[in-house]
Amino acid sequence: MSDIIHLLPDNVANQIAAGEVIQRPASCLKELVENSLDAGAAHIRVIVRDAGRTLLQVVDDGKGMSATDARMAFERHATSKISQASDLFQLRTMGFRGEALASICAVAHVEVQTRREEDEIGTRLEIAGSEVVCQELVQCPIGTNMRVKNLFYNVPARRKFLKTDQTELRNLMTEYQRIALVNPQVQFTFVSNDEIISELPPSTLKQRIEAVFGHSSKPYTGHLVDIATETELVRISGFIGKPETAGKNSHQYMFVNGRYMRHPYFHKALMTAYSGMLLPEHTPSYFLYFEIDPEAIDVNIHPTKTEIKFADEQAIFQILLAATKEALGKFNVAPSLDFTSEQPLDIPQQKPGAMPIAVPRVQLDPTYNPFKSQAVRTTTPKGWEQLYEPLQSTSIPAEPLFEVPAISEATPLFQWDNRYILAPTAAGLMMIHQHRAHARVLYKVLLEQITTEQAATQPLLFPEIIELTDTDLDTLERLLPELRSVGFDLEQFSPSAYSINAIPALLGQKNAVDTIMQVLHSVQDTEQTATQQWQESIALSLALQMAIPQGKSLTEMEMRDLLQRLLQTSSPRYLPNGQTIITILTHEEIQKRF
Ligand code: ADP
Ligand code: MG
């Protein structure tokens, strides 16, 4: 038999590689804008038509390319940014793989015009399916103008996977904002279907955050406090939100050396610093900028991944934790908290000659100290005013806090109605919702698994197929990393179906398809973009799916075990969605009945 192995032609190899790098218009935008930044552009314009489907254009005033370089740029592994392996440890540029342009021109029609300052005349190139179809000299401004047309024209499967224009435009915007938030000195313009939808002048970091998220009526950055720390290992700067403005739609951004990143472990450092200050399910805003020796991080992972590995994560965790506590401690504005309101407080700004300002309406009981009973939160034995000295607070919780009484081996436990666990304690009759108690315990475990990606999984002998609508498919794809980290092994089966090859060991006998569908729908109900909230809502909805139901009879041992694990969680009284787990019928309340 003759030999059968041969090398793939370049255009085929490029098209395969493109599948990795360019998944949707937003990944194309990221690559092009990063190239403009690497080229030292001061003004970058992004122009899209039909959410990047028909046109995605990036125009910059950077250093441009020579005629030869312009042609070379589209070859695979063609880069001006690194030349040897050791350069990888000293990266100062966004790009380095030399595969973005090669990938883009394999799956789209590309037209580029570019000119360097030293050249009188520029170059124009047209490329289709990786082939240069035209190269000529042109009059054009200094810089580079890349037009990517008909993205995925030759990859119908990819094109079919694109979501609605609205979703793809949102993805484009997300990518654009991430880049804009870490390059405030650069001017950005975003035009969609001939309409300017974002114009960001060169500015300071704070002004940039304001320009991205602010509405003219009230300053967005008003609730942010500075955070800054510098150690030999890392420099951290930026802003964090005051605790009382934390919410479900707050913004979380972390960047390292100019690159957006997701870092669940550092997020946890921040949340630890805020613990005791936040309502369940609320997350503070933050904009954190890490600067670190490029040798101490590894960005050499997949081009579309936003996770970045740090050599010294634990030390940085501690540094971030301390810096956050310090920043929170410095701000001793002592805002009035109104826990009953969903809205962040509007803190009015006094303008000369303005009307006298009404104090926000908050009921105050001068003798009430919310921290007297702070010990209920098992992880924060002290109130945060004690942790961060300069802080003062007049916060009023929606209902008085009570101490969760200790449960000893000797405390008798009863199950009532196969629904509630009853425990007589010194403080009164404690009643525990068994389903929610178990969900609270599982929530903690699942969230840890999602952030550490370590879960026990159980392979299915016969993979189950889950058929999905477009919307569900969209959600599922966004959830894939989290579902995988809790132990689901999912694999694309057809354009509209996934196969479930393994399930979390925790899931037991529960139906995997039902569980996933429930999670998708509950996540869709809450439109969340920040990673942490995303992960929290997945963990919670999985926990609710997996927890023992109301109506299940429990042995005393099971009850004791459940209670013990519940009381070890950071907030045993409530589920993260605010539902009550434990309540106490006090002596007084009992006496009143007789
Ligand atoms: P990488 O950015 O990893 O080097 P790319 O495929 O994105 O790879 O780009 C290849 C090369 O083309 C870059 O190294 C750079 O020299 C050149 N290039 C791309 N875009 C621009 C631009 N907007 N301005 C100047 N040079 C560019
Ligand atoms: Mg690049």
Side-chain angles (χ1 to χ4, degrees):
M1 213 159 65
S2 61
D3 298 334
I4 50 172
I5 297 181
H6 55 91
L7 288 173
L8 287 174
D10 271 0
N11 61 337
V12 180
N14 282 344
Q15 199 168 327
I16 294 170
E20 294 278 298
V21 186
I22 306 298
Q23 297 171 329
R24 46 178 13 104
S27 24
C28 192
L29 177 146
K30 171 172 179 281
E31 295 297 337
L32 295 182
V33 175
E34 286 185 349
N35 280 346
S36 299
L37 289 168
D38 285 342
H43 184 186
I44 299 174
R45 277 184 296 152
V46 178
I47 300 158
V48 304
R49 196 172 292 284
D50 307 321
R53 245 178 259 270
T54 38
L55 175 72
L56 198 158
Q57 181 174 10
V58 174
V59 187
D60 71 47
D61 57 358
K63 66 180 183 208
M65 287 177 269
S66 71
T68 319
D69 283 351
R71 201 172 172 125
M72 267 292 275
F74 291 90
E75 299 287 329
R76 200 134 60 100
H77 308 307
T79 178
S80 54
K81 298 168 195 174
I82 60 170
S83 48
Q84 52 199 38
S86 60
D87 294 344
L88 276 174
F89 304 109
Q90 285 304 332
L91 276 184
R92 300 271 169 200
T93 52
M94 302 299 292
F96 58 90
R97 293 185 180 80
E99 54 185 9
L101 292 184
S103 300
I104 294 170
C105 76
V107 294
H109 296 121
V110 179
E111 189 195 326
V112 54
Q113 287 192 9
T114 183
R115 178 161 80 90
R116 298 182 301 175
E117 195 174 5
E118 60 264 46
D119 299 333
E120 263 166 33
I121 194 118
T123 305
R124 181 174 168 281
L125 269 179
E126 255 179 64
I127 301 158
S130 298
E131 298 288 327
V132 176
V133 293
C134 165
Q135 175 159 14
E136 58 189 11
L137 299 176
V138 283
Q139 292 285 347
C140 64
I142 295 170
T144 303
N145 181 341
M146 288 268 179
R147 291 162 64 87
V148 175
K149 291 182 287 188
N150 311 321
L151 189 61
F152 302 134
Y153 76 99
N154 53 355
V155 199
R158 274 279 160 193
R159 213 168 51 231
K160 231 181 107 197
F161 268 108
L162 292 181
K163 309 299 179 227
T164 60
D165 276 10
Q166 201 190 351
T167 307
E168 293 301 344
L169 188 62
R170 199 173 62 219
N171 290 330
L172 286 166
M173 242 345 198
T174 303
E175 211 58 72
Y176 169 84
Q177 288 177 342
R178 285 176 183 172
I179 297 174
L181 283 171
V182 71
N183 293 285
Q185 75 291 350
V186 177
Q187 180 181 353
F188 288 93
T189 310
F190 195 119
V191 178
S192 167
N193 295 340
D194 299 322
E195 195 191 332
I196 297 183
I197 59 171
S198 163
E199 177 73 75
L200 304 168
S203 57
T204 64
L205 187 52
K206 202 163 193 171
Q207 289 166 336
R208 176 55 56 90
I209 296 173
E210 184 68 51
V212 171
F213 295 115
H215 304 287
S216 47
S217 56
K218 73 174 186 212
Y220 172 81
T221 46
H223 76 280
L224 298 177
V225 232
D226 287 48
I227 177 169
T229 186
E230 186 159 3
T231 69
E232 292 210 331
L233 187 60
V234 66
R235 218 178 90 109
I236 304 173
S237 60
F239 306 96
I240 58 174
K242 294 178 188 172
E244 74 275 18
T245 59
K248 293 178 186 164
N249 297 313
S250 49
H251 299 109
Q252 288 82 34
Y253 286 90
M254 282 195 246
F255 304 92
V256 58
N257 295 357
R259 234 174 257 278
Y260 172 83
M261 69 165 173
R262 269 176 49 156
H263 208 294
Y265 186 57
F266 294 165
H267 174 86
K268 201 165 159 194
L270 218 110
M271 292 304 281
T272 309
Y274 277 86
S275 64
M277 301 183 206
L278 302 174
L279 284 177
E281 254 197 310
H282 282 200
T283 313
S285 294
Y286 57 74
F287 300 88
L288 295 174
Y289 298 79
F290 296 71
E291 282 163 69
I292 191 165
D293 182 345
E295 263 193 64
I297 55 172
D298 181 8
V299 292
N300 190 13
I301 45 171
H302 196 274
T304 58
K305 294 267 158 52
T306 48
E307 286 83 5
I308 288 183
K309 286 205 164 58
F310 286 68
D312 227 333
E313 306 211 319
Q314 274 162 21
I316 299 176
F317 182 99
Q318 295 302 334
I319 294 168
L320 178 59
L321 177 64
T324 311
K325 286 185 175 183
E326 195 197 322
L328 286 170
K330 260 192 214 146
F331 120 77
N332 48 4
V333 187
S336 306
L337 299 201
D338 180 356
F339 277 107
T340 56
S341 149
E342 281 284 319
Q343 300 295 321
L345 275 185
D346 235 338
I347 300 176
Q349 293 183 320
Q350 182 96 53
K351 289 205 192 77
M355 295 274 290
I357 287 163
V359 175
R361 274 181 297 120
V362 176
Q363 277 183 302
L364 283 183
D365 170 0
T367 61
Y368 179 68
N369 178 350
F371 299 107
K372 278 274 162 56
S373 50
Q374 192 67 13
V376 286
R377 299 178 198 265
T378 48
T379 53
T380 47
K382 297 189 213 166
W384 52 279
E385 29 112 68
Q386 285 160 300
L387 289 172
Y388 317 132
E389 286 308 332
L391 280 179
Q392 309 206 329
S393 172
T394 51
S395 57
I396 309 285
E399 64 172 289
L401 297 174
F402 62 85
E403 308 244 357
V404 176
I407 300 281
S408 76
E409 282 297 313
T411 314
L413 297 177
F414 308 92
Q415 190 184 23
W416 180 68
D417 202 23
N418 284 347
R419 284 158 200 275
Y420 304 99
I421 301 169
L422 308 186
T425 72
L429 180 62
M430 179 150 108
M431 301 183 280
I432 299 110
H433 192 285
Q434 71 183 41
H435 167 69
R436 291 179 190 165
H438 193 213
R440 180 66 189 83
V441 169
L442 290 176
Y443 171 75
K444 179 179 164 206
V445 176
L446 289 163
L447 200 58
E448 269 164 21
Q449 290 179 349
I450 290 179
T451 44
T452 59
E453 307 197 352
Q454 283 171 347
T457 139
Q458 175 188 330
L460 290 181
L461 208 47
F462 303 103
E464 291 193 48
I465 305 298
I466 178 165
E467 278 284 343
L468 299 148
T469 63
D470 273 3
T471 325
D472 290 346
L473 196 64
D474 195 15
T475 315
L476 181 77
E477 283 173 359
R478 289 167 72 192
L479 289 186
L480 276 179
E482 286 82 9
L483 289 172
R484 291 201 170 118
S485 55
V486 297
F488 282 102
D489 175 9
L490 294 159
E491 196 180 24
Q492 180 121 40
F493 180 72
S494 76
S496 66
Y498 268 76
S499 76
I500 309 174
N501 302 333
I503 57 171
L506 277 174
L507 196 62
Q509 302 300 313
K510 294 252 165 52
N511 181 308
V513 174
D514 284 354
T515 306
I516 291 183
M517 291 311 292
Q518 297 282 358
V519 172
L520 296 187
H521 294 153
S522 77
V523 166
Q524 281 160 0
D525 288 344
T526 38
E527 175 57 34
Q528 288 158 336
T529 48
T531 320
Q532 173 70 14
Q533 293 156 5
W534 188 243
Q535 295 179 339
E536 285 175 356
S537 60
I538 296 159
L540 179 62
S541 93
L542 276 169
L544 289 167
Q545 285 303 309
M546 295 177 182
I548 49 162
Q550 291 293 80
K552 181 178 190 314
S553 126
L554 299 177
T555 65
E556 178 168 347
M557 261 239 293
E558 287 171 328
M559 290 193 277
R560 218 167 270 292
D561 179 55
L562 176 56
L563 269 192
Q564 195 192 0
R565 289 196 288 157
L566 173 67
L567 297 181
Q568 278 164 6
T569 63
S570 56
S571 61
R573 294 175 53 219
Y574 297 104
L575 275 179
N577 62 12
Q579 288 178 327
T580 302
I581 301 168
I582 302 180
T583 181
I584 290 188
L585 206 50
T586 62
H587 289 296
E588 282 164 29
E589 283 166 315
I590 295 173
Q591 269 167 12
K592 257 190 242 154
R593 288 166 195 257
F594 296 101

